[in-house]
Amino acid sequence: MDPVIIVGAGPVGLTLALALARQEVPSVLLDEGPGKDESRPARTVVLREDTTALLERLTGVPLAELGSRWAGWRSMRRKQVMREITFDETAPAPLHIAQHVLTGALRQALAGERLVKIAPDNRLDSLEQEPSGVTAHTRGPKGTWWRGSYLVGCDGPRSTVRKLLDIRFPGRTAVERHAVAALRTELPWPDRALLHRVPPWRTSGPSTGEVTGRPLPDGVWRLDWLLPPGKDLVTPELLLARIRETLAGWTEGPTPPYELLDTGVHTVHHRLARRWRAGRVFLAGDAAHLLGALGTQGLDEGLRDADNLAWKLALAWHHGPHEPLLDSYQAERRAVVAARLRAADQALPLVRGGAGLRAVVPGSARGHDVLLTDGHLGRGTLGAPGAYADSPLAPRHIEAEVPVDTPPGAPVADVLVTAEDGAFVRLRDRLGRGSLLVVLVAPGTGVWERKHWVTAGIMPRLAAAVTALPHPAELLVAESYPGAAAHTVLLVRPDGHLVTALSGVRPADLYAAAEATLGGPTRTEATAGSR
């Protein structure tokens, strides 16, 4: 079968290629550039815990050693500390990393990957699709025709794939603008990120807004200044003045020494493609959505697109098209991003509304701080990973379903589990292989060797039920799971979202839930069943 064509070699496209390769699906990665990324210290990304785990699982690289995990977060308004958070095991820190470092790690992982062909200097200019596949043409020094089973447009905000499919991309332009600088200096709070609203050294005018400082490795900081609405030119003189007054204000003295490494202007747009699938062609990442106001991170959502789509494409590639499963990509991911955009658009007038609105909203300053913190740290409606509660893949009418702390459709907690070979691993380490995961909660198993309990109690019956599922599944055992009673059985999708939690071993319910997760019976199975 023909490989999957991936258009665009940014973080999302590279991640999708790796995710498909881990599930034995070949791909061709069309890169319009030369195959390497320019070093831009001011262009960074903040990754949440689950997306960091995804990338580390795919690359095998401990990304925390290449970026910065903050020790804490501080929010200030004028001279008052509004909120201070210290990160620990119960509240993991986000990972702040330069984007060129991240793409470098992804490219290095792909360098030895036999199932991925990277084609630099190839810019897509046309595509055609038939029931059996997709044909794409690229121009450039190495331009040619390419044949694929599916095609995924990961080619950014100006996506050629989206334009060739004539898919509308409505939304709002220049929702926010930020002047950005990366510099090496010493600040009074090393390794702690800071959001400072209405700093006291800015006493008048629309530029009193806010400045964010986020540490990177080797004493480097990224500073972002919220700019007033409009298209005013950010001159080097203006930016240098902002740097000096900010550093002097934070250190409460003369401007400390600093080395300016990089600058830029970051403009935030909010847009959402009308469709994310057209036949055998899909959109992902910035080609499908743009968001980023109030501290939210668009790349996180793009990486979740890749994780959601990879296992579904892999199943279709290996076993033939299953339309309900492929359709669920748009249904799930577009709904999550749309909810995130709605939350940001509703919060923007409140947070940026000015003193008149603050006067009539009691406690609004502290409430605005909570909203901004949620966006920056990946919490709440603005930043927390989305759940697929209303997914077309969600099973219906499962009698033995019981509640746990993870709602159906939400990402599972990363608990320690015992694998089938007896090894103790993290649950997230078993994701992304294309298999369903069945997790039995069995207190006490962690202190005994697997050989002593694998044939005892309910294990043989559960193992037989797992073997009979309509898709390959791995049986794991956990000492505990948040909110789960003993002998609870969890069914987990390949991308780590909970399908259901069952009370005990219920083979029929487990089978029905697994079948729903795959989009229902295939046409062949349905036909056989009717006979």
Side-chain angles (χ1 to χ4, degrees), residues 68-73 87 93 187-194 213-221:
S68 172
R69 282 198 182 275
W70 307 330
W73 169 269
F87 298 117
L187 291 177
W189 39 80
D191 300 325
R192 301 182 76 88
L194 172 72
R214 290 173 284 197
L216 286 160
D218 303 321
V220 176
W221 289 78

Side-chain angles (χ1 to χ4, degrees), residues 16-17 64 66 111 118 124 131 149 205 258 304 332 375 392 394 404 413 427 434 487:
L16 179 60
L66 304 178
I118 300 179
L124 180 74
S149 54
Y258 68 91
R304 292 186 181 112
E332 291 179 344
V404 296
L427 180 55
H487 296 169

